[in-house]
Structure formats: structure tokens, C-alpha cells
Amino acid sequence: MTRKILWLLTCCTLLLAACDKRMVTVDNPPETTSPSTGTPPISDKKIQAGVQGIVTDASNNPIAGARVLCGEQNMLTDQYGSFRFQDISITEAAAVVTVQKAGFFNGIRTFRVTATGREQFVQIQLLPKATAGTFDATAGGVIGASNAQFIFVPNQVLDASNKPYKGKATLTYAFINPERDDFADIMPGDLRAVNDKNELVALQSFGMMALELQGDSGEKLHLDGINNVTFRMEIPATLRQTAPATIPLWHFNESTGLWQQEGSAEKMGNSYVGTVKHFSFWNCDAQFPIVNLKATFKDDKNNPLANTAVQITRNNNSSTYGYTDAAGEISGLVPANEQVTITIKDKCGEVIFSKKAGPWSTDTNAGTFNITINPQSRLSFSGKVTTCDGAAVTKGVVNIQVNGVHYAAPILNGNYTASILRCETTTATVTLNPVDEAANKMSTTTFQAAPGDYTRDLQACDAIQASTVTLLLEGQNTTFITPTDSILFSYHKSDTASANYYLISAAQKTTPSSQLNMELPDIKVGTSVAPYFSVSMSGNNYYGQSVNITITSTGVAGEYVEGSFSGNIQKMQGGTLVPISGSFKVRIE
């Protein structure tokens, strides 16, 4: 079985930005600089870019309604498990996206942004929380999981007030196996790390753990940070022969998106044994030197292969992969001074391209690789784009959405073309949205398409109107308007029809930004109560209590939903109710 390393080809079409500081916990303290130098090993420069992605469970089924956080923005995944931040401020060298869903450990992906304004892509598989065992926090105890054991000493478990917890503590645990083919979708970060010399390195994992403590009522607990928990973790079978006798331990820093060296573990039989003082994600990893690699991947028609997984394999048969961005480009760290194999598989897992490359001793742009694609493994779209008068559109783009994932094809000399890798032989819902940037015109067409080549001539005739959201809250008027601000409309489908809803999200692109999220139970003309309403503004957070939504007009994809809202909203700082009112006109995606 191929072993994954994930040195981080963070190419992506969508994943985001430098991380949400709200994720820092007592058990996961921020460690961003070396005590000796005080200098961060990686740049914190911010740039504007887009991020989109897919969130799935262990069976590769989409997870709807998961909350995705990126920089100062957040949203929920739709019925396809997809999300999209079209223009946000993120950290260029180490952008971070975090996914939260009840019953799962947080899913976190770190990546390098390929270019300013470029949309990145990530795929994240959430790990379900499983109970490993329960022990008396006062007395301590031993918890045994399927492939691990943990020893707690008395009174080392604390509650939210940092007082010794007196009840039964439950350990939730998940093992992240680097032997798995989907390891790169599951593990947090991208296996970039900061070692004890404050150097940026890449890691090869020999086993990874997710750990949390809960109280009798499900409340979060943490370790005291003084006493050790001793652990024993079995080494995956195919890695035991090459596993080092002593290996560094690394914990994941959710605020930086990087792994941090802390301690070491000893190989005893088929297991690693070590100690930790706080819980988060922990990793037994060997480190190696790295250089940055850029490369571009296109099909036999010279179309960029966007949102496509690119795998790089070392001579020791360990591998990593990342996703190309909207232009078919990857940018990420690979082993220095080693020849590697670059591989691309179709969505069914069949190898369609493989090539030896390297070694590289310095940062390298490997150029463009062209790949022949089986027509039955892709959706291909091409055609002419004209104005209402029949003239060729000279400047613009065709936005393409396939089952919730977005692609873009530039309009060149009045023509567009795009290729999208797929595996499913079933039809997909496709939306084509040509935009004439010179005339500020567009149109939208939606249809069902099976794998194959499609010629679709398009006209951009409808005037593009700005989406706007206005609100009055505690005497302050705030207006969101595109394209200056980000305003998104999305549909969220639940397993139960009664829980389906629509979401309008508005956020300023400045930092810190104001943000509004409101759920609509339907987009029919009339008045209803918002199931959820939240506002972040001027450092204050508000959550809806009884906000009425009145829709005055609506339409189909490409048209607009318009209306107003009014009611009371609770201010979290103090818990008082304050009135809120406003209006919206938002384009339906």
C-alpha cells in the first residue's frame, strides 16, 4: 500500500487563509516563534485570493451544514458538501481553512496560495469522534484504544475554570493512518512543520492521533500542562521496518496551520511510547529538507486541469498530493535533492499520467505538463460567447459549476473551452455563467450533463446588478455591496426536508471586517422567521432571537431575491436584546 507523506503540494482551488485565531485552546497553545531568535520561520504576508472545497465523511459522502472558517469569514457547506470564499484576505505562505461539525474532530487544511486573485481548492474528510474510554479524573486511570493506550495521573484534568475536574472524564480518540490512500484529505495541515531549531521542514508520518477530553455533560476538559500523559501507539504494519528507534513528536498548532516539534517517542516493539502535556493532534514524524516546486498541468486541448489531485512519490515509496488551482497550477514543498515521480489519477483512481522529475536543490518551476484525457473521464465544454447583438465578447470569463464545485474558463477571442475530470457516469447538474466584463452583462443556463464533450454557444445579455445588504444596528448603518464586499447566496439541503434552508452571507473584505449571516427557510414571496441570524460588527457579536424576513421578489439562478428584515437580536457582550432592521438584494447562485 502506498504511504502518504504530504509534504504539501498545496495547490488548491480554494482554501483559505491564515487561520482563525478563535481556534486556539488551552490544550493547543500558540507557538509561532523560536525562543532563541523570536523570528517566525514562515512569512505572514496576506494576499487576496479565493478558496473553495469539498467536505466529506469517511465513506466519501458529502457533509452538508458543516461550518467552514477562513480568515475573518465563515459559511456552511451546501448539499454537495461544497463551500466557496470568492475573495478573502489570507496568508500567502500558509493559508488555513477549518471545518467544524458536531460529532467530528475539526478538519483543517493548510496550503500555499499559488497567486494573488487565484482560486484555490481543497478537499477535507472529517474524522468522527469515537469514545476510547472513561476514567475517574480525581484518581487517574488507564484508557486502552484499538491501537493505543493512555495513562492519566490523578488530578491532571481541568475544567474550563482551570480547576481540577472531579467527575468522570471521557477520552475521544481517532487514529490517522499514513498508510491510507485518503490520508492527505484527513490529516490536519499539510505536514509542514517548525522544528526545535526554528526551521521550516516537511514531515513523514509514522502515525497520527486526534485527542480530546470531555466531562459528564459533554463539556470540554483539558490537561493541566504540568503532568504528563504517557501514551503507547502502534506503528502501522508497513512502516514498522523503517520506523526510527527515536522519533520527534509534533503537535498541530491550529492558529498557524503548522506542526510544532515538542518532545520525542521511543520505539518499543511495534509501538512508539512517549509523553504529552496537552491534547490536540499529535504526530510521530521524521523530518527532511525541502524546496518549493511550481508546475502547471493542462489537458491535450491545452485547457488547465483545475481542482485536480497531483501526487508526488519519493524513492522510499512514500507519497503526498495537493490540488491544482483554477489555472491548473500547483505550488508547494517537495523533498530537496531527490528524484520523485509525479502522478495524476482520474477521479476513479486510474493513473493517467506519470513522470520522473528532479532532483531539485533550489526552488524550481518545472513548467507545464500536458496530459491526454479519455473523453469518458471528463466533462468538456467549449463554444462561442457573444453579446446580444451577435458580436464576440472580447473580455470576460465563463463561470462553470458542476455539482457545487466551481471552475472558470477565460473568454479568448470570443471563445471559451474547459475540461473537468470526473469519475461518475451519472449526470451532473451544470451551470454556465458567461460574463462580459467590458459591457457588464451576463447570462445563466443550467442543464444535466454526463461525461463527454459539449459545444455550447452562449450569449451575455443580462445587466449585472450589484448584490447589496444593508442593516441598522445600535445606531450604526452598515452596507455590504459587491464587488467591494463579498455577498454569497447558497442552498443547504438536509436529510430531513423540514431542515432545508437558504443562506445569505455578507462580509467586508477589510480586516477586521463586519459580517452578517441569515438563514431563509424558503425564497418564496412572504414573511417568515429566520432560523438563524448573526452579525459581527465593531468587535461585538450578535445572534438572532426573533428576526422576521420579508421577501418581496425572487427568481431563478442568475436572478435576484429581494426583501427586508426586522426584529430583535441578542448582543453576546452582556446578553441584552437590541433591535435590528435592514434590506437585501442578492443574486441567486
Side-chain angles (χ1 to χ4, degrees):
M1 179 178 293
T2 301
R3 300 187 295 279
K4 304 299 176 189
I5 296 188
L6 233 248
W7 322 303
L8 83 123
L9 273 184
T10 72
C11 347
C12 284
T13 318
L14 162 24
L15 253 297
L16 21 213
C19 228
D20 194 324
K21 307 304 181 197
R22 291 170 293 178
M23 301 309 299
V24 178
T25 66
V26 175
D27 267 354
N28 190 20
E31 298 175 36
T32 57
T33 60
S34 165
S36 59
T37 67
T39 303
I42 192 168
S43 170
D44 60 358
K45 175 186 174 184
K46 301 289 184 68
I47 63 173
Q48 294 294 128
V51 179
Q52 69 167 323
I54 298 292
V55 179
T56 70
D57 63 16
S59 299
N60 209 33
N61 297 314
I63 296 179
R67 187 157 299 279
V68 184
L69 303 98
C70 182
E72 297 296 325
Q73 297 188 31
N74 71 87
M75 65 171 53
L76 300 177
T77 54
D78 64 15
Q79 70 268 34
Y80 301 111
S82 68
F83 63 90
R84 188 187 190 200
F85 299 93
Q86 290 180 279
D87 187 11
I88 57 176
S89 175
I90 58 180
T91 301
E92 181 179 26
V96 179
V97 59
T98 300
V99 182
Q100 301 171 335
K101 181 72 172 178
F104 295 89
F105 289 99
N106 287 347
I108 309 168
R109 187 68 65 248
T110 311
F111 60 93
R112 175 186 286 271
V113 183
T114 49
T116 299
R118 194 78 61 76
E119 191 168 69
Q120 313 295 302
F121 180 86
V122 296
Q123 185 159 311
I124 297 175
Q125 183 183 135
L126 297 186
L127 276 173
K129 292 182 179 179
T131 297
T134 300
F135 63 98
D136 187 319
T138 302
V142 179
I143 299 296
S146 58
N147 67 330
Q149 184 183 71
F150 305 89
I151 302 174
F152 296 85
V153 301
N155 297 312
Q156 73 176 132
V157 177
L158 307 182
D159 61 19
S161 301
N162 290 322
K163 303 295 184 183
Y165 184 69
K166 300 301 183 182
K168 295 289 186 181
T170 297
L171 175 67
T172 58
Y173 164 81
F175 177 65
I176 306 174
N177 189 347
E179 296 173 315
R180 292 180 56 146
D181 290 334
D182 52 4
F183 174 64
D185 289 344
I186 301 171
M187 50 147 279
D190 57 12
L191 284 185
R192 273 181 294 179
V194 179
N195 66 16
D196 56 4
K197 298 178 182 178
N198 201 43
E199 299 167 332
L200 185 68
V201 296
L203 304 178
Q204 177 182 358
S205 178
F206 288 82
M208 191 180 296
M209 303 178 290
L211 301 162
E212 285 187 9
L213 286 170
Q214 295 179 354
D216 290 325
S217 301
E219 69 272 31
K220 187 171 183 179
L221 306 174
H222 61 274
L223 301 178
D224 59 14
I226 300 172
N227 294 289
N228 288 321
V229 171
T230 300
F231 74 87
R232 177 190 58 79
M233 182 191 72
E234 289 185 14
I235 303 168
T238 63
L239 302 178
R240 291 171 184 169
Q241 185 174 354
T242 57
T246 300
I247 195 166
L249 283 177
W250 313 77
H251 73 86
F252 188 69
N253 189 321
E254 296 188 17
S255 65
T256 64
L258 303 174
W259 292 89
Q260 193 86 29
Q261 186 174 353
E262 184 178 339
S264 62
E266 301 296 324
K267 186 179 181 183
M268 297 184 180
N270 292 328
S271 298
Y272 276 125
V273 176
T275 61
V276 298
K277 286 185 168 66
H278 58 90
F279 278 173
S280 62
F281 293 93
W282 282 92
N283 204 356
C284 296
D285 283 47
Q287 56 185 304
F288 55 90
I290 46 183
V291 296
N292 192 65
L293 173 70
K294 285 192 173 184
T296 302
F297 297 85
K298 296 185 176 182
D299 69 4
D300 43 320
K301 297 182 179 181
N302 211 37
N303 296 315
L305 287 176
N307 310 351
T308 300
V310 179
Q311 179 174 300
I312 293 185
T313 304
R314 301 174 71 191
N315 289 331
N316 67 3
N317 204 36
S318 61
S319 298
T320 185
Y321 72 85
Y323 288 90
T324 58
D325 67 11
E329 184 176 298
I330 61 167
S331 177
L333 300 181
V334 298
N337 304 310
E338 292 186 26
Q339 187 179 59
V340 297
T341 301
I342 300 175
T343 303
I344 289 184
K345 299 179 181 179
D346 64 20
K347 296 294 184 179
C348 294
E350 297 297 322
V351 175
I352 58 175
F353 174 83
S354 182
K355 183 179 178 64
K356 295 282 188 181
W360 304 287
S361 58
T362 60
D363 294 350
T364 302
N365 189 330
T368 299
F369 298 89
N370 288 94
I371 300 164
T372 300
I373 307 295
N374 183 334
Q376 292 306 308
S377 297
R378 72 180 174 194
L379 275 170
S380 176
F381 303 101
S382 61
K384 299 178 180 179
V385 184
T386 59
T387 66
C388 292
D389 299 328
V393 172
T394 58
K395 181 182 179 182
V397 66
V398 176
N399 297 308
I400 303 169
Q401 180 176 301
V402 180
N403 281 357
V405 178
H406 294 255
Y407 304 82
I411 300 172
L412 303 174
N413 301 318
N415 295 283
Y416 77 98
T417 180
S419 290
I420 298 166
L421 287 179
R422 293 193 79 226
C423 174
E424 299 85 351
T425 58
T426 56
T427 59
T429 300
V430 176
T431 298
L432 301 180
N433 169 223
V435 177
D436 182 349
E437 295 175 358
N440 200 40
K441 296 288 184 70
M442 54 157 273
S443 66
T444 302
T445 180
T446 299
F447 56 97
Q448 299 293 310
D453 297 332
Y454 293 83
T455 300
R456 292 274 176 147
D457 293 337
L458 307 170
Q459 279 192 316
C461 293
D462 302 327
I464 301 175
Q465 303 177 46
S467 292
T468 60
V469 177
T470 65
L471 66 92
L472 173 61
L473 178 61
E474 295 202 275
Q476 181 175 341
N477 288 290
T478 302
T479 299
F480 304 90
I481 184 168
T482 59
T484 305
D485 303 310
S486 173
I487 301 178
L488 301 176
F489 176 94
S490 56
Y491 172 63
H492 299 264
K493 184 177 181 181
S494 176
D495 294 335
T496 58
S498 61
N500 296 349
Y501 65 93
Y502 300 83
L503 178 68
I504 292 176
S505 298
Q508 294 174 342
K509 296 178 181 178
T510 56
T511 302
S513 67
S514 296
Q515 184 172 328
L516 174 147
N517 292 286
M518 60 178 172
E519 293 181 6
L520 313 176
D522 209 332
I523 54 171
K524 295 179 181 179
V525 172
T527 300
S528 60
V529 177
Y532 176 82
F533 201 107
S534 70
V535 176
S536 296
M537 188 171 64
S538 301
N540 294 313
N541 297 311
Y542 306 80
Y543 292 91
Q545 294 291 306
S546 55
V547 180
N548 292 319
I549 309 290
T550 299
I551 296 176
T552 55
S553 66
T554 186
V556 297
E559 298 178 335
Y560 294 80
V561 56
E562 298 182 58
S564 61
F565 54 87
S566 62
N568 294 315
I569 195 166
Q570 185 177 33
K571 187 175 183 179
M572 298 307 293
Q573 292 81 355
T576 57
L577 287 178
V578 295
I580 187 171
S581 60
S583 62
F584 56 90
K585 180 180 180 180
V586 178
R587 183 170 178 264
I588 300 172
E589 299 290 344

